[in-house]
Amino acid sequence: MIKVTNLSFTYHKSSIPAVKNLNFAVNDGEIFGFLGPSGAGKSTTQNILIGLLGGYTGEISVSGKTLQQWNHSFYDYIGVCFELPNHYLKLSARENLQFFSTFYNVPVRDPVELLKMVGLDTDADKKVEGYSKGMKMRLNFIRSLLHKPQVLFLDEPTSGLDPVNARNIKDIILDQKRQGKTIFLTTHNMHDADELCDRVAFITEGEISIIDSPKQLKLQNGKRVVKVEYMNGSPEQREFEMDLIGENNDFLNIIKDHRLISIHSEEATLDDVFIKVTGKRLD
Ligand code: ADP
Ligand code: MG
């Protein structure tokens, strides 16, 4: 659905490239995560992919057409959630959505229906200048869904939201995937990436170091052991190889004879893998 070949880009007054020789493809119907710390080049990449930043080298195609081959219908085809909300502060949320609706040459969704999805329907007629940061983020997010786009570019969509609203946004993203949409998701939140993404690319300092499914990354980088905590007068813990654990008498005796406190497989978290692969932390 999205194919990026040898993409590099340097900002005007900068001497070092913000992104360097990126190569990746996003499959039809998948959520592809771009995971990296602040300043890694995620937003730059998104802004290039949506045609906002020119002057790059390399090739980008979306649905079989290069960005140069697309005409204005590209903006009917894609939906974009920018990192920072940009709304008309003197207009209400409803008016903002109505205004942005006029940009599209395809049928749009009912603004109230969208506002309801993120709990803003009761504030629909309030001026956006009176909105909190989280409310602006939610409005920003639903704006990307206004014209039922086939491909979504979401730049840190849950950033700055409380857990309940973040959960809701993630559920909406998963629902978009169920509807067959393709989603390019930029995030520095490894929990979001782990939960939502079919595949993630790790990006640091403008370069991708690895692309794989969160599950594979965790399996390949974790230990195949089970850690058991149990009472033996006082709490004790032991680790056992996962392979052939059903035939391991030490393990079997512990779970038969002792009161268990906890039992965990020790696969890596995506955070562990990120540090191991890139040598950098996520925030
Ligand atoms: P991320 O979204 O991963 O946090 P960005 O793509 O925003 O990272 O930034 C990548 C690099 O490009 C950073 O070093 C940042 O300082 C730089 N950068 C971002 N925007 C601009 C700009 N408009 N002009 C010059 N440099 C920029
Ligand atoms: Mg960014």
Side-chain angles (χ1 to χ4, degrees):
M1 177 56 85
I2 304 171
K3 191 162 182 355
V4 172
T5 315
N6 301 331
L7 175 66
S8 296
F9 175 84
T10 306
Y11 283 101
H12 265 316
K13 284 173 194 155
S14 179
S15 52
I16 42 164
V19 296
K20 283 173 253 182
N21 200 30
L22 302 185
N23 287 284
F24 61 92
V26 181
N27 300 324
D28 198 358
E30 84 172 330
I31 304 183
F32 186 87
F34 229 48
L35 182 65
S38 167
K42 303 182 299 295
S43 298
T44 302
T45 305
Q46 172 165 316
N47 287 337
I48 297 169
L49 296 184
I50 65 171
L52 203 68
L53 281 177
Y56 59 87
T57 60
E59 194 173 274
I60 297 160
S61 66
V62 177
S63 194
K65 283 195 268 185
T66 65
L67 290 191
Q68 290 73 24
Q69 287 165 339
W70 274 99
N71 57 18
H72 194 75
S73 66
F74 188 53
Y75 294 100
D76 292 332
Y77 192 72
I78 67 165
V80 181
C81 176
F82 289 99
E83 189 168 23
L84 297 172
N86 51 339
H87 298 105
Y88 291 94
L89 299 178
K90 299 282 175 209
L91 300 182
S92 69
R94 185 203 302 269
E95 288 165 340
N96 265 281
L97 291 176
Q98 281 165 345
F99 176 70
F100 286 108
S101 296
T102 64
F103 292 3
Y104 301 109
N105 294 308
V106 289
V108 293
R109 297 174 70 166
D110 173 8
V112 177
E113 174 207 342
L114 287 168
L115 288 162
K116 258 200 195 116
M117 274 166 54
V118 292
L120 288 176
D121 47 318
T122 48
D123 297 297
D125 296 310
K126 199 160 143 186
K127 280 185 188 169
V128 173
E129 65 185 359
Y131 270 34
S132 70
K133 181 163 181 284
M135 291 164 83
K136 285 180 189 155
M137 288 291 297
R138 286 183 271 154
L139 177 59
N140 194 42
F141 174 74
I142 52 172
R143 209 177 89 197
S144 69
L145 304 177
L146 204 48
H147 52 299
K148 306 177 208 161
Q150 196 52 39
V151 184
L152 283 166
F153 292 89
L154 307 175
D155 195 346
E156 311 263 5
T158 63
S159 157
L161 292 182
D162 63 82
V164 173
N165 278 306
R167 176 72 264 153
N168 186 36
I169 297 290
K170 287 191 275 187
D171 287 340
I172 299 171
I173 294 171
L174 288 169
D175 191 53
Q176 288 290 309
K177 176 183 146 90
R178 273 191 290 277
Q179 291 177 33
K181 312 296 172 126
T182 302
I183 299 156
F184 180 84
L185 173 76
T186 274
T187 182
H188 67 269
N189 182 320
M190 68 115 182
H191 296 290
D192 285 3
D194 195 359
E195 185 194 338
L196 299 176
C197 298
D198 296 292
R199 291 185 306 139
V200 291
F202 286 178
I203 178 165
T204 48
E205 296 172 357
E207 291 182 280
I208 293 178
S209 45
I210 203 166
I211 302 175
D212 211 334
S213 69
K215 178 136 201 162
Q216 274 305 317
L217 288 167
K218 288 184 289 182
L219 279 176
Q220 281 162 7
N221 291 278
K223 292 190 284 183
R224 289 187 50 77
V225 298
V226 174
K227 190 197 264 178
V228 189
E229 260 190 290
Y230 56 97
M231 286 307 288
N232 191 15
S234 57
E236 284 183 12
Q237 62 177 44
R238 276 188 68 181
E239 284 190 0
F240 295 94
E241 285 294 327
M242 196 146 15
D243 298 310
L244 301 176
I245 197 166
E247 297 165 24
N248 185 323
N249 283 327
D250 284 352
F251 172 77
L252 296 175
N253 287 335
I254 284 176
I255 62 171
K256 263 193 296 212
D257 299 340
H258 296 273
R259 196 166 71 83
L260 294 181
I261 300 169
S262 71
I263 179 162
H264 291 292
S265 56
E266 295 286 287
E267 64 265 56
T269 66
L270 207 50
D271 212 20
D272 299 333
V273 183
F274 194 89
I275 293 167
K276 188 167 163 191
V277 170
T278 67
K280 305 244 155 35
R281 302 196 71 85
L282 268 166
D283 34 37

